[in-house]
Every structure is written in C-alpha cells, then in structure tokens.
Amino acid sequence: MSERRRRRSLSVFRPPLQPLTPINDEPPDNAPTTLKKRRPTSFSKDGSPTSSSGPTSPKMERTDSRRRLSRLITRDRPRASQKDGRPSSLFGSIRSLSSLKDEDEISPSTTSSPSSLDLTTPIVPDVAAGMLIHHGPLPEAGPVFRRRCPYLVLTEFHLIQFKSQSRASEMFPGVPGPHHPNKTNMRHSRLSSSSSIHDLQSSSDGQYSIPLVHIVAVYKLDDGEPYFSIEIAHFNDSTNSASTMTLQIHDPGEADAWLTAVRSAASKARATTTTIFPPGLIKYTARALEQEHDYNPDHFNMFKVVQRAHKSGKRSSSDDLTKLTSKICILAIGMYKIHLVPLPKSTRTASSTSLSDMNGASHGTVTLSSVNVQNVDDSFQLWFRFPFQPSQALHLAALCVHEIILYIRQSAEYLRPEWTEQPIAWIVPSNLNFDDLMPYPAEDEENRAFDRTLTAYCAGYKINTSNIRYTVNYDCEDAPAFVLLSPSDRRKGTYNSVELLAIFRALRYNETFHSISFSQCSLDIMNGLRDHYGWEHTPWTTRSGDPVDLSEQEKTPVFVQEIRALALKNRRLRRLDFSFCLTRRPSSAGEVPDSGCGICEALFPLCSKQYTNVDWITLNGILLSETDTDYLYAAAIEKSCHFRAIEVAYCGLADRSFQSILQALSHQGATLEWLVVAGNFARLEPSFLREYLDEFSLLRVVNFSNISRTSGKEPLFELDTLRRWKLQQLNLSRSPLNAATLQVLADYLRDPQSNWLTMLSLDQCALTGGTIKDLCYAMVRPVPRQLHLSVSDNHLEDEHAELVDVIQQSLTPTQLTMEMLEYKDEKNFQLFLQAWSQNTSTHWLNISKVSLPCPAGDETVTVMKHMLANNQGLQWLNISGEEAHLEVATFGFGLNRALLGLKTNKTLKHLHVQHQRLGIPGANTLATIIEENSSLLQLHCDRNGFNFQAFSVIVSSLVHNHTLQYLSPMEVDRAAEIRKWEKEVEKARDAGIRGLTAPTKATVSTVKRQIGAVIPAPLQFASSHTGAPPPQQKQYTQPQAEALLASVHAKWDNKTAVMQGYLDRNFKLAHGLPVEDSPMTENERPTTGHSGSSTLRLGSNDATPLGEPDRQLGADVGATVVNDNDGAAGMPSTPEGDGGDLEAALMMGQKLKLDP
C-alpha cells in the first residue's frame, strides 16, 4: 500500500456540480485559433474574457511558516487502513497537499493555475506565504460526541481548512494555540461543502486549500435555516471542475466578518492575477451562441457566474440545505442576447460525474426589465419580461458583478443608441458608476441605427426579421418618412401583435423620421390589447424628461401607450398616418359606450397639452365613434395645437359629428393647410359650409370628393373663398356639381390667384365635352398651363365636337387624365385621335380603359398609327386596356399595327400598354419598336398574355437598343404561364399516362416547330418518315413534373437576368458610366428560348423518360435556333397557347423511336 494514500473525507458534502459535455473538444496547443474577441479598452487591456489585471501585490515572506509547513509535510503519521479496490471517497476524494503522482498522470497536458498547491512544484510553500487576514473555528456536522472542530484560515491567496486549531497555529504564528488565553471564543458554526475531484487541495492531515483566484462568487445563501449561511463557489479552469463550500454560522456578526473578508481577499487576488479562459471553453461558449445565431466576435463577453439556488417560503428542516444546489455556469453577452451556458463536462472526472440537469437559457437584451445588485455580497438578479407575459428572474452571483452590469448596460445602450432613457430599472450600489462606460466606436449606419434596434427587438421577441418590410421615402413633405409595408409572408397578410410591438419600439426615440406611416397595414390586433404584467414601456415623461400629466396611463391599452411613446420621444416627428389601418366598427347606441379607436385617445390629449410636435394626423378610413370625435374636438379648439392637417376622409361621420369637427377645425384657420373630409355620410349645406371655410387662410389641399350636398342652386364654394386660399390641389370627384359651382370654378381658373393650382380632379361629375372646353379656355395662359386635369368617367361624348376643338387648338393643360372614355360611335373616337395628332400643349396623357362598341377597325387603327407617329408633344402615354370580371376594354388585334407608328416617334419617352392581350404577335411588334425607336426610356407592357416565347422575343430586341432603361419583368404573365403548366402537368399526372392523347397532324406540326432546335436536321428527317407506331403510353411521374416546372422557372430567371443586363448597359450609357463588354455581339441575335429538351430535362443523373432522349441524341442544351416567323422555337408554348405543345414535347421520344 502506497504511503501517499488519501484519507477519506470527513466533511459533509453537498452533491457535486456536474458540468455538461462540451460541444467541441478542446483543440491542441498548436492548433490555430479562429475565434477572435475584442474588448473595449474601458474594462480590459489584456483581451481577457474576464477581469482586467491590476498591479501585483508583493508577497509576505514567512520563513518560519515555511519551516513549519515542511515539518508538517514530512512528519510520519499513521494512515487509516483501506480495503484494496475501494475508492478513497464515496463522494470524490479531496486533493492532498502532496498530490498523488497518478492523479497528475490523468491529464498531463493540463496545467494548473499559478496558485495551485501541488507539492511536486516549487510553489507549494506559498500556501502560507500570504498575510493572515481572518481565522476561526468551524465545527463539522455530525453526532455531538464525535463532532470535531476544524479551523478555517483566510490568507491573501488561499482559504485553508485545518483539522484542528493546533495545526493552524503551527503553520501560522498569528493563530493562537488551543490553550492560549486569548483563544478565539465563537459560537459554534458548521462547515459543509460540495466538491468534485481535484478541486479542493488537501493533505493527509486534513488540511484543505482553495486558491482565492478560483473563487467565482461569495454570497449569502437563502436556505430558510435559523443560522446564517455563506456559500463560496469556486471553479478550476485547469481541471474544468466546479465546487461550492457552505459556511453555516450562528453569529450574524461573525458571518458578516467572514463574508466581507473572503469577498475582499478574493477580489484582490483576482485583481492581481491575469485570468484567461482556456481556448476550449471560449470555443465551447462561442458555439453555444452560434446555435442561437448571436455570435459576433466584436460583441462577445463571457464571465463565470453562479446560478444561485433560490428558495422561497418559510423555514424548513436542516436537510433542505443539501437539496439546494447552486450551479456554476458561463454568462455570455452576445450581440442581441444574454446567455447562461452550462459548463462542459469535466474531462478529468470519472463516472462519478454525470450530466448537469441545468439547461442553458437565452434572453433578449431588449427584454431586460430590471437589474438588482446586492451591496452586501456578490449576488444579483436579472429580470426579463416578454411582452404580455410575467417576468422571469435569473438569480446569479459573481465576484465581477460590477463588470457584468457595466457590460450589460453597454450592450443595452448599443442596441438602443437613440434611447435617452432605457426601460430598465437599475437597482445598483452607489459605487457602481455608469460613467465608466466607454461606448462602442461609431458605426456608419443609416437612419440612426434603426435596423440594429429593430433586429435586436426581433431577436428578443423571437421574430423572423425577414417578415418585416418597410421603406423610407425621401421625396415627400416632412421627409424622411418611414412607411411600413405589408409583411413578406403573404399567407398571413398581417403582422401579429409582437411584430407590431417590435416595430413601434424600434421607432421610439429615433429622430431620423419626420413622418411615420402605417397606412394600409392592419393594426386591429393591437386595438384594445393590454399588458397586465408590467409598465416599464409606459411613457411617463417626454424626451426632455418632463413628466406627462395624464391620468391612469398604466391602465391604458398597449396600442395607446405605443402611439403616445412615438409622439413623446421624437421631437422631430411631425406627421402620423394611420389611413385604413383599423377596420373596427363603433358599437351602436344603447350598448356600452364605445372606447374609440385608440389613436385619438393617444394623440389629441398630448397635442392639447403641447407635449408633442405632431401637427399632422391622418385618420382616413377609420370609423370614428363619439368618443373619438370628443377627443378631436377638445384638442382642435385649442389654438395652441397649431394643427396643419387632420384628415378624416371615409370616417363614417354623420351630420352632427361632421359639423362638430368642422367647427373645431375652424379654430385652426391660421395654420391648417389640408382639409380632407371626403367620403363621409354628412350632407353639406353650402351656407353652413361657407361660415367655417372663410376662417381658413392657408389651405393648400381641399378634398371634398364623394360627398353629398343639399339641393339648391347656390354654389358649393364662393369665389372669394377660393381666392383667399393658395390652393395646390382641389378634388371634387364623384360629388354633384351644379352649374353655379362650375361657373365659380371657371372664374377661379381665370383668376391669377389660381396659378398655385397644380391638380384639379373632377372625375365622375357628369361633365360634358362643352364643360371641359369652358374649363380649358379658363385656364389658358401665354404658355401651356402647368396643371393636371383629371376628368375620367364623364360623359365626354356629349358635345364631343367642342372637346375635339379645344384639343386640336392645343388649349389643354400639360397633364390630362381621361380614363374610362366610353364611345358609342367609333367615328367620334377617330376624331378624338386626329385631334391629338395636332396637339402640342399636353405632355402627359392617360386615355386608358377606352371602351368602343367593337374592336378597333382598320380606319381607327390607321388613325391611331398616324397619331403615334406624328404627335410631337406627348412624352408620357397610357393606352392600356381593362380586364375585369364583368367587363373587358381592349382595342383588339389591330393595336399591333397601330403601335408600329412608334418606330418613327421622336418625343415619346414613357409608354404604358397593358391589359391589351397582345400575345406573341404583339411581342413581335414591340420587339420591332424597341429595335428602331431611339426615344423610349420606359416600356410597361406586362399583363398582355405573354408566354416565355413572347418574353424572349422582346428581350432579344434589346441587343440593338441603347436607350431603353426600364422594361416590365412580366411577373404577372410569368405566374399565369406557370399556373397553366401546373394545371396541364397535374392533369397528365392524374390521368396516369405519359402523354395526353395520340399525336394528330396539328400535333406533328407543333413538334416540328417547337423542338426543331433540339433535333439535328438529319434526325428530324428520319424521324418524320419512320412511320413506326408509337410505343405504349407510360406513367408521368412526380419527379418529372417537378423537374419540368423547375426548368420553366429557371428559364424565366435566366431570361430576366439577360434583360436586366441590357437595361443596366443602357443606364450606364445614358449617364456616361463605363460599360462592360456586352455578353453578346450586335451581329448575334440572342435566343428566344433554349432548347425544348432542356425544358423537359429532369436532371443529368436521372435516366427518366423525358431526359433520356437528350442523352441519346447528344443534344446541346445551350444550342439556339431562331425562327423569325414563329417568334421563338426554343421552348414549348404554354399548354393553352397552341394546344398540344405539352403533348408534343412528351411524345418526342416516340417520334424518334426511343424507348425510355
């Protein structure tokens, strides 16, 4: 039996800390390290993931103590006998001061920390080298008559337990002997610990040592016992082992003394030692963060902490202490989250160590609601709260608690850089100074790091970031404007409540945006929603810190709180647009009073008390209740609000509500610029209206469209009223206009005060051609009037000759919209087109959705071709048709010939020709125009039933065009063709056959035309004269169908990429930028489609019935053959285009006598 045999442990141990298995094995010493970590210079200079190093304290030399230690070690003492084969300890023995050689051989590559007490190294005597700090007896647990009283000694570098006080006095002269008259008189205390093997350093005489640099935390234990418990958690990096020691002391004063002494000594020891995490542990933690998609080397900090055993309730038995287990783990602060990572499983422990039952946890940094740091020990709490859920607490402890809190504060401020007040309750000691924070280096991000904050909220709220879509409009009033778009997930169609909260809170405090629009985005899910678990996001103050005097804010719905926060925290925010974002209907009379939409409750009290600078509120499309109108009225009568606009179109306002709002808005006459009250139920009385309209002096936009008025001959507006305003837009569409009102409009257009007017909308007002003539004559100026006149869906065929006369004389304004013209006589439409051939005053013309009694005849086509060729004024033209469920308005097949007039046009730059069913013949026409026209910049020609062949023809023409910069990508036409292929393939698959029908003569001709590019000429000839009967039909498999559709998608993508390449080339030429070499020479016309065999190819690795013919023929997938007569011969037409194309393609192998 070896003399260096361990003694069995006499202490009462708690269950050992058992770390988890590491994700990755630790690399060898010579392995390159790929993980990098940057530390802000404010906390660490050595790059350590833990504490920074400080000045090294000199060690106290104690020669006499070293001699005593040597005598203790070399003294021959009897050892307790043990049976062979029995482990030295049932709980894992404690390492001896003279550690066994076989223990060192377990992991020879692992080096101990500098404070390790291994007598095989010269540093062993340093256990007594430090200055004595504190000492005292601690009786062990056990029967009263057999209880022993070990002695605990704290030095500068170690915490040592001796078997008795006499042993301690032998090593440390400052410790009185057991019979000394000044012997320490303490109340009995108890020491218990839980340790893993190779953790505590022990000797055969019962001396145990903990290096202070291994201590992770010292804290009071909340175990409900009648005595005072102190828990000391320590971790050995070299052995990857974690342990805790618990001191149970009956005297509160002595407990505080031990707590203060151990904390202070451990902190000093930690400050004088550069502690670096092992590379394996850093890699393990980084991989854990990568699993959460939160690892960034520049934003990565890790600390050793203790997840404290937290017990609530009253006192319990003393056995509960052993059931409470604190766990040492890694606290990692990532880019967007705070992680608790369990320790990896120790590599030096045997089967006695099992996997820990602690699971890792991750919480978003933006969900942190409270931080509570204790001043008496190392414990602290982190409280996290997910929206609409109760808070979750992490009870932790660490010596470096102040450093952890500083890094958490730094991360929170980095993720919300614009927030002047973080929504976190910082309950920290006074000596924790946040002024020591060093901010991260400034990063060049748009919109004041809005994307960073939004991403942080998405990570914290577990949201798919790609689902949120928005744009920033820089070309509008009060720009830049944030505009929320519909979610990218079309199946949902709307955002959920958590996604909307993330957007609202990311916008809060961000003063980049002067306007915020939620128009057309549903916010119904937020309306009336309440969060009963916390109020940390409730806006109690303005951005400047002034308190907000509003009652019961904490009881208001979350929707109201978030809107108020937007208005209170952004001083530059001027406009909020909520158009058509709520579909709620106010409760009817007799029920519980309606609470309102929430928007009025949120904003108008702030405006009336001047807490916000928002002065433009858009409520269009939201049905307002009486509660909402009361909020609006109370704010609008306050002249101090300085409203520029309150838009209430289509808000369901009845006579009383409308009159109340108009009366209140009259108090804002000195500042109101927009008056939008369209589409309400109220009937306007001209005398009442004039009473309030005369109060406004700065109106720029007036929208009284789609309203009704009382009968009478008096005009809706007085001329003096219109002259008082500086109108830029006037919209009276779909409103009844009597002769007196039209006369007032004509007189106003003659007045020089109307020169400000740029938009006049009179759609669907029962106007005739004579009325249009009067208005055009009234707006005549020495130069064409810079005004957009919209007169769509009127009876312009009545008094048509007067309309033709004013167009022919070029008295029309520069922009004219005349949609939905309905002609009963085609001759009138011909006169209309002839007049435009001579017009030079109008540069922008929209005559889409023209309805003729029949498709355009030859004479009409000739007149239109002449107009397109000879008009010298139009730069923008829209001649699109209409395809509705119940009505179709197109010019017919003759439009293809009429469009050829554009070949010689030199002024037109933008052409819209959509919904005209042009098909492949129209594609050939547009290709000819593209090749020969040199003025067109944009061509919008989608929704014309174009298949891939037609699209290929149009793209092919771009090789000869060097001016066109935009061409429709044909997304709608592509989707329509794909749907046809899917239906045809599904039909063939359901039938369970390889082809649809036996080949007919039409089918044979289709095969010759469609796949002529694939089959060499000799094989084509031989195949057409074989006369062999076709083989038996075979099944059409699912992989074939999927590969066919995938090939169709790929061909569209490739052709779209080619088109974009040519358009980019033209853009660079127009702006004088260097142009790269063209992918094709001008003498080579690009293909209109790849080979039909490549369309049907199912993969080079599969010998499928459709792919085998290509391989046997050796057909070149990239071969191209152009047939100018047929447009494109490469790819089969859509199934419904030529009828039998799919069948012909599938029967290709039969025609060539190839048995798949």
Side-chain angles (χ1 to χ4, degrees):
M1 183 180 298
S2 173
E3 294 182 357
R4 296 191 177 186
R5 190 187 322 174
R6 295 186 187 175
R7 297 173 59 92
R8 283 190 295 178
S9 173
L10 299 179
S11 301
V12 178
F13 294 103
R14 293 166 55 191
L17 293 177
Q18 301 162 350
L20 291 175
T21 305
I23 296 176
N24 300 93
D25 296 333
E26 184 173 339
D29 296 338
N30 59 354
T33 303
T34 58
L35 297 176
K36 297 182 179 180
K37 176 176 176 296
R38 180 179 62 81
R39 279 270 178 185
T41 57
S42 59
F43 300 125
S44 177
K45 298 181 180 180
D46 57 356
S48 170
T50 56
S51 64
S52 60
S53 60
T56 304
S57 301
K59 296 183 178 180
M60 302 295 293
E61 298 291 340
R62 289 183 175 270
T63 307
D64 54 347
S65 298
R66 293 176 183 271
R67 295 197 187 99
R68 297 175 189 274
L69 178 62
S70 300
R71 288 198 301 269
L72 288 174
I73 295 174
T74 58
R75 182 177 301 173
D76 187 14
R77 290 185 173 275
R79 304 180 182 273
S81 61
Q82 295 181 352
K83 295 182 180 180
D84 295 338
R86 182 177 180 181
S88 58
S89 174
L90 297 176
F91 302 96
S93 61
I94 299 176
R95 187 171 185 176
S96 173
L97 287 173
S98 56
S99 49
L100 301 175
K101 294 181 180 179
D102 55 348
E103 292 181 15
D104 294 332
E105 294 174 356
I106 295 177
S107 180
S109 62
T110 304
T111 59
S112 301
S113 60
S115 302
S116 179
L117 293 182
D118 193 338
L119 288 182
T120 60
T121 61
I123 202 170
V124 172
D126 287 347
V127 71
M131 182 174 61
L132 185 65
I133 296 177
H134 196 68
H135 58 89
L138 293 172
E140 292 182 345
V144 176
F145 298 102
R146 300 183 59 183
R147 181 177 299 174
R148 300 182 180 181
C149 187
Y151 205 82
L152 198 63
V153 176
L154 175 64
T155 68
E156 284 183 295
F157 306 109
H158 290 82
L159 180 63
I160 310 169
Q161 175 193 344
F162 290 92
K163 184 177 180 181
S164 62
Q165 185 175 354
S166 60
R167 301 304 181 193
S169 63
E170 291 180 5
M171 181 176 294
F172 296 96
V175 177
H179 305 291
H180 195 275
N182 293 332
K183 177 182 176 180
T184 304
N185 186 15
M186 293 178 51
R187 294 184 60 184
H188 285 311
S189 303
R190 188 174 72 177
L191 166 69
S192 65
S193 68
S194 63
S195 308
S196 61
I197 192 170
H198 306 302
D199 182 32
L200 294 177
Q201 314 216 355
S202 62
S203 71
S204 59
D205 294 326
Q207 287 85 21
Y208 310 128
S209 171
I210 302 176
L212 296 186
V213 294
H214 291 178
I215 293 180
V216 177
V218 182
Y219 52 92
K220 294 182 177 180
L221 186 63
D222 183 16
D223 54 8
E225 296 294 341
Y227 34 74
F228 303 93
S229 300
I230 300 173
E231 192 161 70
I232 303 173
H234 46 102
F235 178 78
N236 193 336
D237 291 320
S238 60
T239 61
N240 197 25
S241 56
S243 307
T244 59
M245 172 185 287
T246 304
L247 308 180
Q248 296 179 349
I249 304 173
H250 292 277
D251 185 5
E254 184 63 20
D256 292 341
W258 273 108
L259 179 66
T260 304
V262 176
R263 285 186 65 202
S264 178
S267 299
K268 291 180 180 180
R270 180 175 176 271
T272 58
T273 304
T274 301
T275 305
I276 302 177
F277 283 106
L281 188 58
I282 297 177
K283 185 177 180 180
Y284 166 80
T285 307
R287 294 296 177 263
L289 267 63
E290 282 182 348
Q291 292 182 357
E292 294 288 333
H293 307 285
D294 194 41
Y295 177 71
N296 186 332
D298 295 333
H299 300 272
F300 172 67
N301 297 283
M302 55 185 293
F303 307 90
K304 288 177 288 189
V305 299
V306 178
Q307 188 176 10
R308 295 185 292 114
H310 180 70
K311 179 181 179 181
S312 59
K314 299 181 179 180
R315 298 179 179 179
S316 57
S317 63
S318 59
D319 295 336
D320 290 341
L321 178 62
T322 60
K323 298 178 183 179
L324 294 176
T325 57
S326 298
K327 304 176 186 298
I328 297 179
C329 53
I330 299 298
L331 178 70
I333 303 176
M335 183 73 179
Y336 304 110
K337 298 180 181 179
I338 299 175
H339 310 263
L340 271 185
V341 182
L343 291 174
K345 183 179 179 180
S346 176
T347 58
R348 297 191 58 181
T349 57
S351 59
S352 60
T353 302
S354 60
L355 293 177
S356 173
D357 59 352
M358 180 187 69
N359 297 322
S362 298
H363 300 274
T365 305
V366 295
T367 64
L368 184 65
S369 61
S370 178
V371 175
N372 190 353
V373 179
Q374 302 299 324
N375 195 21
V376 296
D377 59 4
D378 295 333
S379 63
F380 64 100
Q381 295 85 34
L382 301 179
W383 294 83
F384 299 90
R385 200 174 75 83
F386 197 83
F388 311 110
Q389 295 181 11
S391 299
Q392 296 181 3
L394 292 181
H395 299 273
L396 308 174
L399 277 176
C400 54
V401 55
H402 287 193
E403 187 177 349
I404 293 174
I405 300 305
L406 288 176
Y407 272 110
I408 291 177
R409 178 70 176 255
Q410 185 185 48
S411 177
E413 293 184 355
Y414 172 78
L415 297 179
R416 290 181 287 221
E418 294 297 309
W419 287 54
T420 59
E421 182 182 357
Q422 296 288 335
I424 303 173
W426 302 96
I427 308 174
V428 297
S430 57
N431 59 345
L432 181 57
N433 188 7
F434 288 124
D435 295 336
D436 295 337
L437 281 173
M438 287 280 296
Y440 282 98
E443 300 179 10
D444 186 14
E445 294 187 48
E446 294 182 346
N447 305 321
R448 300 193 182 186
F450 171 74
D451 284 344
R452 183 202 307 171
T453 306
L454 180 59
T455 305
Y457 272 104
C458 290
Y461 292 169
K462 302 177 182 179
I463 298 171
N464 183 7
T465 311
S466 62
N467 192 45
I468 298 177
R469 298 169 58 245
Y470 73 91
T471 184
V472 180
N473 187 2
Y474 296 93
D475 188 18
C476 63
E477 292 189 49
D478 298 324
F482 172 89
V483 181
L484 182 64
L485 305 177
S486 59
S488 57
D489 189 355
R490 302 299 182 182
R491 296 171 299 177
K492 295 171 53 178
T494 59
Y495 294 104
N496 59 39
S497 59
V498 180
E499 290 172 333
L500 291 174
L501 273 183
I503 297 170
F504 272 101
R505 290 171 181 176
L507 287 170
R508 190 186 296 192
Y509 283 97
N510 194 309
E511 293 190 337
T512 299
F513 308 115
H514 300 175
S515 302
I516 297 177
S517 173
F518 301 99
S519 178
Q520 306 292 333
C521 291
S522 177
L523 303 179
D524 287 311
I525 195 171
M526 290 281 291
N527 192 20
L529 200 61
R530 299 177 185 272
D531 192 350
H532 302 283
Y533 298 100
W535 304 279
E536 64 272 11
H537 283 91
T538 303
W540 304 104
T541 61
T542 65
R543 187 184 180 96
S544 302
D546 300 328
V548 176
D549 185 17
L550 295 176
S551 60
E552 298 183 344
Q553 276 207 84
E554 67 279 359
K555 297 181 180 180
T556 56
V558 174
F559 187 43
V560 175
Q561 295 180 9
E562 294 301 327
I563 295 177
R564 284 180 177 174
L566 290 180
L568 288 170
K569 305 300 183 178
N570 187 345
R571 294 169 299 187
R572 297 183 179 181
L573 185 62
R574 303 295 302 279
R575 184 186 304 214
L576 284 170
D577 187 355
F578 297 95
S579 299
F580 300 94
C581 67
L582 294 177
T583 59
R584 63 178 297 278
R585 291 184 174 274
S587 59
S588 58
E591 300 178 1
V592 179
D594 189 85
S595 59
C597 65
I599 301 174
C600 298
E601 178 185 358
L603 291 177
F604 290 117
L606 301 181
C607 296
S608 60
K609 296 186 177 182
Q610 302 182 32
Y611 287 138
T612 179
N613 292 327
V614 174
D615 55 10
W616 194 307
I617 302 174
T618 303
L619 303 173
N620 297 334
I622 301 176
L623 300 181
L624 302 180
S625 65
E626 292 187 3
T627 303
D628 295 319
T629 56
D630 290 342
Y631 280 117
L632 193 157
Y633 183 87
I637 61 176
E638 298 288 341
K639 293 185 178 181
S640 59
C641 291
H642 303 294
F643 284 121
R644 291 186 298 149
I646 296 180
E647 302 181 40
V648 288
Y650 301 94
C651 290
L653 300 178
D655 292 343
R656 180 177 177 275
S657 299
F658 184 84
Q659 292 177 8
S660 299
I661 292 177
L662 196 60
Q663 179 184 2
L665 291 179
S666 63
H667 292 80
Q668 306 294 324
T671 58
L672 200 69
E673 300 177 9
W674 281 44
L675 182 60
V676 180
V677 292
N680 287 292
F681 302 143
R683 293 172 57 87
L684 300 184
E685 184 178 353
S687 59
F688 168 80
L689 191 61
R690 287 194 298 269
E691 179 182 353
Y692 296 110
L693 293 183
D694 289 341
E695 300 293 332
F696 302 107
S697 59
L698 296 178
L699 283 180
R700 296 186 294 115
V701 175
V702 174
N703 187 346
F704 277 71
S705 63
N706 199 19
I707 60 174
S708 58
R709 54 159 292 176
T710 57
S711 58
K713 296 182 179 181
E714 64 273 18
L716 186 62
F717 305 104
E718 292 291 342
L719 180 59
D720 293 338
T721 302
L722 295 177
R723 285 174 176 172
R724 186 178 295 108
W725 303 336
K726 295 182 179 180
L727 281 180
Q728 297 177 359
Q729 298 180 26
L730 178 60
N731 190 347
L732 300 175
S733 299
R734 295 177 295 280
S735 296
L737 303 179
N738 55 15
T741 303
L742 292 175
Q743 184 60 43
V744 170
L745 283 178
D747 294 340
Y748 173 68
L749 291 174
R750 292 189 185 94
D751 195 283
Q753 187 66 18
S754 68
N755 291 339
W756 298 93
L757 192 65
T758 59
M759 179 69 187
L760 177 60
S761 298
L762 301 173
D763 300 334
Q764 202 174 345
C765 291
L767 305 182
T768 63
T771 306
I772 302 300
K773 177 183 178 181
D774 294 338
L775 295 177
C776 289
Y777 272 114
M779 64 180 69
V780 171
R781 297 293 187 272
V783 295
R785 181 70 179 269
Q786 297 293 327
L787 181 135
H788 186 175
L789 176 62
S790 180
V791 289
S792 301
D793 199 12
N794 282 295
H795 305 158
L796 300 186
E797 195 173 11
D798 298 342
E799 301 177 351
H800 189 263
E802 299 184 24
L803 174 63
V804 171
D805 182 62
V806 75
I807 295 174
Q808 192 171 359
Q809 296 182 38
S810 299
L811 300 178
T812 53
T814 55
Q815 299 183 36
L816 186 59
T817 298
M818 307 176 74
E819 291 184 349
M820 304 183 70
L821 292 175
E822 185 173 355
Y823 281 94
K824 298 178 181 179
D825 187 354
E826 191 174 353
K827 292 291 184 180
N828 290 331
F829 184 62
Q830 296 173 12
L831 296 174
F832 179 78
L833 294 177
Q834 290 175 358
W836 283 114
S837 300
Q838 305 176 29
N839 185 280
T840 58
S841 61
T842 299
H843 307 314
W844 195 98
L845 177 62
N846 183 356
I847 54 172
S848 60
K849 304 178 184 179
V850 174
S851 177
L852 300 178
C854 58
D858 293 339
E859 187 175 355
T860 302
V861 170
T862 302
V863 173
M864 183 180 295
K865 181 179 179 181
H866 181 266
M867 187 270 289
L868 294 176
N870 296 283
N871 182 279
Q872 299 180 4
L874 291 177
Q875 299 179 9
W876 193 97
L877 177 62
N878 189 346
I879 53 174
S880 301
E882 182 182 18
E883 289 185 284
H885 293 289
L886 301 178
E887 184 178 359
V888 176
T890 62
F891 288 124
F893 184 78
L895 180 61
N896 292 323
R897 290 191 292 114
L899 290 174
L900 293 176
L902 292 173
K903 292 193 299 182
T904 59
N905 189 290
K906 303 299 182 184
T907 59
L908 192 64
K909 297 181 179 180
H910 301 263
L911 175 63
H912 292 251
V913 52
Q914 301 163 311
H915 294 291
Q916 288 290 358
R917 298 184 177 181
L918 297 179
I920 292 182
N924 287 324
T925 301
L926 293 177
T928 303
I929 295 172
I930 292 173
E931 289 179 348
E932 300 187 24
N933 185 281
S934 60
S935 64
L936 276 177
L937 299 179
Q938 294 187 14
L939 177 57
H940 302 258
C941 57
D942 54 335
R943 303 172 187 267
N944 277 298
F946 290 151
N947 56 16
F948 181 77
Q949 290 87 347
F951 183 48
S952 299
V953 170
I954 296 174
V955 174
S956 300
S957 62
L958 286 173
V959 69
H960 302 292
N961 184 289
H962 295 83
T963 57
L964 194 67
Q965 300 178 25
Y966 176 83
L967 179 63
S968 299
M970 313 296 180
E971 293 294 338
V972 176
D973 302 84
R974 171 181 177 170
E977 183 182 16
I978 296 298
R979 285 195 298 268
K980 293 178 182 179
W981 279 104
E982 289 174 346
K983 291 180 181 179
E984 195 71 15
V985 169
E986 185 177 357
K987 181 179 178 182
R989 185 173 60 249
D990 293 343
I993 60 175
R994 194 168 163 234
L996 297 179
T997 59
T1000 61
K1001 293 182 179 180
T1003 302
V1004 172
S1005 62
T1006 303
V1007 172
K1008 292 179 179 179
R1009 185 178 75 253
Q1010 299 288 343
I1011 62 176
V1014 183
I1015 309 171
L1019 290 179
Q1020 293 181 36
F1021 180 80
S1023 63
S1024 61
H1025 291 79
T1026 55
Q1032 294 181 355
Q1033 295 175 340
K1034 298 193 176 183
Q1035 289 189 351
Y1036 191 65
T1037 63
Q1038 179 68 20
Q1040 292 174 346
E1042 294 177 354
L1044 174 62
L1045 296 177
S1047 180
V1048 174
H1049 279 290
K1051 288 186 174 298
W1052 275 95
D1053 292 337
N1054 293 337
K1055 191 60 63 175
T1056 303
V1058 173
M1059 178 193 72
Q1060 192 60 45
Y1062 286 120
L1063 296 178
D1064 292 342
R1065 177 202 64 184
N1066 296 348
F1067 177 83
K1068 293 178 180 179
L1069 290 173
H1071 293 82
L1073 302 175
V1075 180
E1076 300 176 357
D1077 295 337
S1078 177
M1080 296 183 181
T1081 63
E1082 294 188 2
N1083 295 329
E1084 178 186 5
R1085 184 172 179 178
T1087 177
T1088 56
H1090 292 299
S1091 62
S1093 62
S1094 62
T1095 303
L1096 301 175
R1097 185 178 299 277
L1098 301 182
S1100 58
N1101 297 328
D1102 298 332
T1104 58
L1106 298 180
E1108 188 65 21
D1110 293 332
R1111 286 187 287 273
Q1112 295 192 25
L1113 286 174
D1116 182 11
V1117 176
T1120 59
V1121 176
V1122 177
N1123 189 335
D1124 291 335
N1125 295 328
D1126 294 335
M1131 179 177 174
S1133 302
T1134 52
E1136 298 179 12
D1138 293 331
D1141 295 320
L1142 176 62
E1143 171 194 351
L1146 297 177
M1147 297 297 291
M1148 180 176 60
Q1150 300 177 8
K1151 295 294 295 179
L1152 297 178
K1153 300 172 62 176
L1154 299 175
D1155 187 6

